Amino acid sequence: MLAASGSAVGLGNIWRFPYVAGENGGGAFVCVYLLSVLLLGLPIVVSEILLGRCGQRNPVDTMRVLAERSGHVRAWSLVGWMGLAAGLLILSFYSVVAGWLLHYLFLDLIVGMQDMTKAGALAAWEHLLSSPGRLLLWHSVFLVLSGGVVALGVQNGLERMVKVLMPLLLGMLLLMVGYALRTSGFSSAMAYLFKPDFSALGASGMLAAMGQAFFSLSIGLGVIMAYGAYLPREVPLPRAAGWIVGVDTLVALLAGIAIFPLVFSHGLEPGGGPGLIFQTLPLAFAQMPLGSAFALLFFGLLLIAAWTSSVSLLEPSVAFLVENTRLKRLPATVVLCLLPFLLGIGCLLSLNVWEATFFELSFFDFLDYLTANVMLPLGGLFIAVFAGWFLKREMLARELEGTSLWVRRTWLFLARWMAPLGVLVLFLYQLGVFGA
Ligand code: PHE
């Protein structure tokens, strides 16, 4: 459970949620995001843990073995394959973004945050983005950190840290919210975040909100499945799932409540894009007593949160290689890090010098879109369908032993109907099938 919440809480909550919400007009986006978390995310988290605990292997072999045992085609393992691919693709840009964090940590250590002005924060951000060398350096450092933990097989250590650091991160977020409360932009920010204006959303905003829910919960790619294998039988499934989903959503909402008041009080653009937290947070730290120290703590904690998430992106692929080839952990990790390393270079160049577009998106945005808005929902759909319709009855019953009847019924309904149809409808809506 620690591992799973360590995977879920990361840059997705604190970096991605505010900026994607800002790009999609706020309130209505948050509304669809919360609905997706509850109606699609929760049943899929349960499905993943259930399948993982039942299959006891990496996602590819779990899907294959469970399909065979339930009397279905082995092709279900393709869901696992897509998940491994999605994990490596996400890691490519995730590591670039975590690199930004490293840069800001470094900046804070060297010059501090006390003199940060609005213009200065903007300039610092643009300076970072325009420098491929610097981006490459931090991207590489972060990838080595993540690969290192996976290669050495010391995830446990990192996960045990989650127990201490997660409450600290929550505490820091509350502190930032406390600061935001006293800024002039607080009430406009609350209205922006929680008063839905659906005319501002549209099909692509709805898809983005669902994608954000999947990305933030780490679902649809078998990561929670891989960790589900370790969940002891005594722990009731719904409780474990509820905990992961609750913590993850709380952190995202707090991040939004901490950041948007800064955006509004400083007259910044909510739709300012991926740099949103890096342009706003330093301004808050500049005005706090001991701001540089708090900045260090905050960015440091976020870095560790990003680290546990990136380890979870890599681990299932490494487990698959180690279990199915003669490769040892270290070479398996090195081989698998090569792809995110190279694709990550593409991402960071697309922020400055590489102008090619893919479906009208920069390479960075394209990878982000492809994974969060397409691959994860699709993976989640198949996972829910498999758990709800195809898994052998006896296995299902054994996994759900001890949970109350209404919980079982609700989950079964959500996994069989709600999750697949929800994803499908949003896909079709985005494709313009309903004539929008
Ligand atoms: N959920 C992680 C975050 O919010 C990112 C992630 C996505 C991790 C998918 C693993 C799998 O930062």
Side-chain angles (χ1 to χ4, degrees):
M1 246 160 87
L2 282 181
S5 31
S7 164
V9 174
L11 293 168
N13 310 61
I14 293 171
W15 158 72
R16 201 175 186 279
F17 173 72
Y19 109 73
V20 182
E23 280 185 338
N24 289 288
F29 173 93
V30 175
C31 208
V32 177
Y33 160 75
L34 289 176
L35 280 177
S36 307
V37 166
L38 214 63
L39 298 178
L40 319 178
L42 195 57
I44 294 175
V45 172
V46 172
S47 309
E48 285 209 23
I49 304 179
L50 191 153
L51 295 176
R53 200 158 67 168
C54 202
Q56 294 289 323
R57 289 171 177 78
N58 64 71
V60 173
D61 293 322
T62 287
M63 289 305 287
R64 180 180 51 77
V65 165
L66 293 183
E68 280 172 354
R69 281 195 207 146
S70 307
H72 302 292
V73 287
R74 303 173 58 148
W76 278 102
S77 65
L78 287 175
V79 177
W81 281 105
M82 183 172 74
L84 297 189
L88 295 178
L89 292 180
I90 292 176
L91 189 57
S92 313
F93 66 87
Y94 204 84
S95 145
V96 173
V97 178
W100 301 344
L101 264 184
L102 283 168
H103 170 80
Y104 272 81
L105 264 172
F106 189 67
L107 195 71
D108 183 45
L109 274 177
I110 301 295
V111 294
M113 293 277 158
Q114 58 283 354
D115 301 324
M116 216 33 122
T117 57
K118 183 175 152 190
L122 217 64
W125 167 251
E126 270 156 19
H127 181 63
L128 169 63
L129 274 211
S130 63
S131 160
R134 192 163 294 137
L135 292 169
L136 176 62
L137 169 72
W138 295 124
H139 161 60
S140 318
V141 170
F142 186 77
L143 214 49
V144 170
L145 284 178
S146 311
V149 167
V150 176
L152 297 173
V154 291
Q155 280 96 308
N156 290 343
L158 202 58
E159 278 142 24
R160 256 179 274 127
M161 278 164 53
V162 170
K163 224 183 194 158
V164 184
L165 296 177
M166 194 83 83
L168 256 178
L169 182 65
L170 268 171
M172 268 311 284
L173 275 173
L174 285 174
L175 185 90
M176 302 300 291
V177 169
Y179 174 83
L181 259 172
R182 296 186 306 168
T183 60
S184 58
F186 189 75
S187 50
S188 350
M190 286 301 108
Y192 181 77
L193 272 179
F194 298 112
K195 255 205 204 134
D197 167 14
F198 280 94
S199 65
L201 195 59
S204 52
M206 304 245 280
L207 188 68
M210 173 173 74
Q212 173 59 27
F214 279 72
F215 186 89
S216 188
L217 292 169
S218 304
I219 53 176
L221 72 176
V223 163
I224 302 292
M225 198 186 288
Y227 286 160
Y230 300 101
L231 189 73
R233 294 220 160 260
E234 310 81 78
V235 182
L237 251 171
R239 186 183 314 157
W243 209 78
I244 298 166
V245 171
V247 171
D248 188 68
T249 311
L250 179 70
V251 172
L253 290 178
L254 285 179
I257 299 174
I259 283 154
F260 280 103
L262 302 173
V263 173
F264 286 100
S265 358
H266 289 97
L268 292 160
E269 196 39 60
L276 196 64
I277 68 162
F278 297 101
Q279 290 160 16
T280 49
L281 289 175
L283 296 176
F285 292 126
Q287 287 170 12
M288 283 180 192
L290 292 179
S292 293
F294 280 124
L296 199 66
L297 192 60
F298 185 81
F299 287 131
L301 288 169
L302 186 51
L303 179 70
I304 295 172
W307 201 5
T308 52
S309 300
S310 65
V311 162
S312 78
L313 288 164
L314 195 54
E315 170 62 29
S317 307
V318 171
F320 175 78
L321 266 197
V322 171
E323 283 162 25
N324 289 286
T325 65
R326 279 204 253 145
L327 280 182
K328 294 261 183 316
R329 273 192 95 80
L330 180 65
T333 310
V334 173
V335 169
L336 286 168
C337 276
L338 227 51
L339 184 78
F341 177 67
L342 294 175
L343 291 180
I345 295 180
C347 286
L348 63 90
L349 290 178
S350 80
L351 298 167
N352 37 61
V353 294
W354 190 28
E355 281 170 7
T357 56
F358 302 79
F359 300 93
E360 294 171 30
L361 297 169
S362 72
F363 188 61
F364 181 100
D365 290 336
F366 171 70
L367 277 191
D368 176 280
Y369 189 97
L370 175 70
T371 50
N373 296 0
V374 182
M375 293 175 88
L376 301 191
L378 203 61
L381 182 156
F382 282 119
I383 287 169
V385 165
F386 184 78
W389 294 99
F390 289 88
L391 189 68
K392 208 182 201 163
R393 283 283 139 171
E394 297 90 81
M395 296 204 239
L396 196 61
R398 206 166 57 110
E399 290 305 321
L400 290 172
E401 226 167 67
T403 52
S404 66
L405 191 62
W406 81 267
V407 170
R408 245 181 287 175
R409 286 220 173 118
T410 315
W411 170 74
L412 202 59
F413 169 75
L414 292 175
R416 283 187 154 182
W417 299 102
M418 195 69 207
L421 290 179
V423 172
L424 214 59
V425 165
L426 285 184
F427 274 165
L428 295 177
Y429 188 40
Q430 165 74 359
L431 290 173
V433 172
F434 303 121

